[in-house]
Each structure stands twice: as structure tokens, then as C-alpha cells.
């Protein structure tokens, strides 16, 4: 049996989960969605895991694009793992519907609570609370791995449905239309050292360096990678992030995000 874990990760949570899944699923490959979208992978897998963060109670735009293009065996066991700081919204349901339109079946959808990274609304939670979540994540992954090995079906961890439906309808459908242009709201303070790391970690090359200073273009994913990985915390979103504590997974480095995605600099 062949297995692959595809993931999208901007600040490390989903990559950490993907790596833990691979440890449990002996022999599974780990493939960044950003890399898969640029390359035509010939190998089709018997078990396919799709790991992503929840944005606005739904799928990141890049994940939706990936799901519309992914090549999968018709009878493959497909499962999702959504990393989230609160509620999953309808991310699993959206995945199921996209795959269904392509004649594919989502077998199970799991959710894993992780520290949130949306600094425009809140700052990073204390490190002690982060450590508690990381411990629980390890236990959750063990449970998920066992379910995947047994190929359990019908699991959809996104209740209560009505509440998720309302959040998705109110926030996701309207908000995601504005995401590509949201880059215009990012800016760098005078603390910027022109290191260029923000451009390197951007999953969609939405940052152009002009005389070393970042300029945001018009195909943003609103993933917060540029803001969270800035080593001097110079990058801001509007004025809502000023003075707020930043977050990226402590077990993941910016270099790993870059290298796994296959970005050449």
C-alpha cells in the first residue's frame, strides 16, 4: 500500500501535523501542495492525506485549487486533517464537495486544535498553553493514524453543523473574495532589515522586493507567513498587528518551509 500526505502550511502547524502523520504511516511520502501544483506527479497513491489550516471557517484558496487538480486513484482512501485555532467551519464539507464533483470520495475528515496565527484579531497564546496543545496534538495524531490504518469511513469532525454553516456563509463566501487583494494592507515598518525572508516564505510569490523592501502584489493567500516569520517583527497588517505577539510553530523553521516547497533562491 502506498501513501502520501499533501500539506499546505504557512507558519508550521500543518507541516508539523503532516510530519507526525508520516511517522505513524510508515513509508508515506510528504508533499507540499505548493510543490505539487507546480509539478506533475505521476505516482498515484492508495492512501491520500490532505492537511491544511482553516481560514475564515473554510478552505484556504490555494487548497481549493489543489483539490481541483490533484490526481488520485479512483478507489483511494482519502482523508483530511484540518488544523485550527477554533472551529473547523465547513472545510471538510467543502473538500468533500470538490472531490465529489471529480468523482472522488472523501472517506474521513479529522480536526486538530493548534495555536492560532491570525494576528490581526489576536496575539499568540502563552507558550505554556502552546505546549499543552502540542501534547494533545501528538495524542490526536495517534488516534487519526489508527483510524487511517483501519480505513475508517464516515468521520466528519465539524459539528455543530448549523453553527459552522452560518459562520461559513457569513464570513467565508464574502471574505474570500477579498483575499487576493488583501496584500495591499500589509506594510513594513522602519525596523525592516531588507533580509527578504518574507518573499521567500510566501507560498504564492506575492511579495516583490524593490531595493530590498517588500511590496505586496494582488494574489495574496492571507496566510500570514510574511508577518509571522519576519525576524524583527517589522511586517504589519493595517495597524491591527502593532505590538502583538507573533506565532510560528517552534518545531518548524522558515528554512524548512522554503526548502520543502522547492523554492529556489
Amino acid at each position: 500500500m502506498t501513501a502520501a500526505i499533501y500539506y499546505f502550511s504557512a507558519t508550521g502547524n500543518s507541516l508539523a501535523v503532516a510530519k507526525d502523520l508520516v511517522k505513524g504511516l510508515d513509508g508515506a511520502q510528504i508533499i507540499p501542495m505548493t510543490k505539487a501544483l507546480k509539478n506533475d506527479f505521476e505516482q498515484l497513491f492508495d492512501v491520500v492525506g490532505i492537511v491544511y489550516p482553516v481560514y475564515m471557517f473554510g478552505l484556504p484558496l490555494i487548497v481549493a485549487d489543489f483539490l481541483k487538480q490533484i490526481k488520485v486513484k479512483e478507489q483511494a482512501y482519502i482523508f483530511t486533517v484540518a488544523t485550527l485555532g477554533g472551529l473547523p467551519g465547513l472545510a471538510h464539507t467543502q473538500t468533500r464537495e470538490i472531490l465529489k464533483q471529480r468523482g472522488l470520495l472523501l472517506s474521513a475528515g479529522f480536526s486538530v486544535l493548534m495555536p492560532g496565527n491570525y494576528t490581526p484579531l489576536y496575539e499568540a497564546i502563552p507558550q505554556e498553553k502552546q505546549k499543552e496543545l502540542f501534547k494533545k496534538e501528538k495524542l490526536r495524531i495517534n488516534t487519526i493514524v489508527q483510524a487511517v490504518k483501519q480505513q475508517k469511513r464516515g468521520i466528519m469532525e465539524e459539528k455543530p453543523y448549523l453553527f459552522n454553516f452560518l459562520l461559513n456563509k457569513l464570513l467565508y463566501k464574502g471574505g474570500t473574495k477579498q483575499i487576493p487583494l488583501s496584500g495591499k494592507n500589509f506594510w513594513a515598518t522602519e525596523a525592516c532589515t531588507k533580509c527578504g525572508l518574507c518573499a521567500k516564505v510566501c507560498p504564492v510569490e506575492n511579495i516583490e522586493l524593490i531595493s530590498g523592501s517588500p511590496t505586496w502584489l494582488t494574489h495574496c493567500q492571507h496566510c500570514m507567513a510574511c508577518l509571522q516569520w519576519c525576524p524583527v517583527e517589522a511586517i504589519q497588517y493595517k495597524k491591527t498587528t502593532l505590538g502583538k505577539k507573533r506565532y510560528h510553530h517552534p518545531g518548524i523553521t522558515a528554512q524548512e518551509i522554503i526548502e520543502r516547497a522547492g523554492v529556489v533562491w
Side-chain angles (χ1 to χ4, degrees):
M1 181 181 72
T2 59
I5 305 297
Y6 293 94
Y7 74 89
F8 170 64
S9 189
T11 53
N13 281 344
S14 292
L15 175 52
V17 166
K19 290 171 69 175
D20 286 342
L21 285 169
V22 167
K23 289 178 184 177
L25 299 171
D26 298 333
Q29 294 189 37
I30 184 168
I31 305 172
M33 292 185 200
T34 50
K35 193 172 184 178
L37 283 167
K38 296 178 181 178
N39 297 275
D40 189 14
F41 285 90
E42 294 297 331
Q43 184 176 0
L44 301 181
F45 302 93
D46 301 305
V47 175
V48 176
I50 303 169
V51 185
Y52 50 73
V54 173
Y55 288 0
M56 295 184 179
F57 304 100
L59 289 174
L61 296 179
I62 193 171
V63 176
D65 289 341
F66 169 78
L67 291 169
K68 294 171 184 176
Q69 300 178 46
I70 182 176
K71 293 182 179 179
V72 184
K73 284 184 178 179
E74 188 173 337
Q75 301 302 320
Y77 178 86
I78 307 173
F79 71 98
T80 52
V81 180
T83 60
L84 46 102
L87 295 171
L90 293 183
H92 298 308
T93 295
Q94 286 178 288
T95 301
R96 181 178 62 191
E97 292 304 310
I98 293 173
L99 293 176
K100 184 179 179 180
Q101 291 173 9
R102 302 186 56 210
L104 300 170
L105 177 66
L106 176 62
S107 300
F110 304 95
S111 298
V112 178
L113 193 63
M114 297 287 273
N117 76 345
Y118 196 59
T119 309
L121 288 183
Y122 50 80
E123 65 179 5
I125 62 175
Q127 290 189 1
E128 285 304 311
K129 290 187 177 181
Q130 291 182 28
K131 290 177 181 178
E132 290 177 12
L133 288 177
F134 297 147
K135 288 180 181 179
K136 292 179 180 178
E137 179 264 344
K138 299 292 184 184
L139 297 174
R140 283 288 296 133
I141 295 304
N142 289 337
T143 301
I144 293 170
V145 165
Q146 292 307 311
V148 171
K149 286 183 176 179
Q150 296 170 29
Q151 298 208 355
K152 290 186 176 180
R153 300 175 185 274
I155 301 169
M156 290 289 283
E157 296 179 349
E158 57 181 21
K159 296 179 181 180
Y161 179 79
L162 179 60
F163 190 47
N164 281 323
F165 176 80
L166 292 174
L167 288 172
N168 182 272
K169 189 173 183 64
L170 289 172
L171 297 175
Y172 186 85
K173 291 189 176 179
T176 51
K177 294 178 182 179
Q178 307 302 319
I179 283 179
L181 298 177
S182 65
K184 65 183 180 181
N185 294 314
F186 286 95
W187 57 285
T189 69
E190 293 181 356
C192 175
T193 62
K194 301 183 180 181
C195 70
L197 183 61
C198 54
K200 294 178 183 180
V201 296
C202 178
V204 290
E205 300 179 4
N206 189 57
I207 298 175
E208 182 180 357
L209 298 176
I210 299 177
S211 298
S213 299
T215 299
W216 283 261
L217 306 178
T218 57
H219 48 276
C220 184
Q221 286 289 317
H222 210 60
C223 68
M224 298 291 140
C226 57
L227 184 147
Q228 302 294 2
W229 288 110
C230 177
V232 294
E233 299 185 5
I235 294 176
Q236 310 294 336
Y237 184 75
K238 297 182 178 179
K239 293 186 178 180
T240 60
T241 58
L242 289 166
K244 288 183 179 177
K245 294 179 182 179
R246 310 304 168 94
Y247 170 81
H248 54 74
H249 193 286
I252 303 295
T253 65
Q255 193 62 32
E256 185 175 10
I257 293 282
I258 297 165
E259 290 178 353
R260 284 185 177 275
V263 179
V264 179
W265 294 90

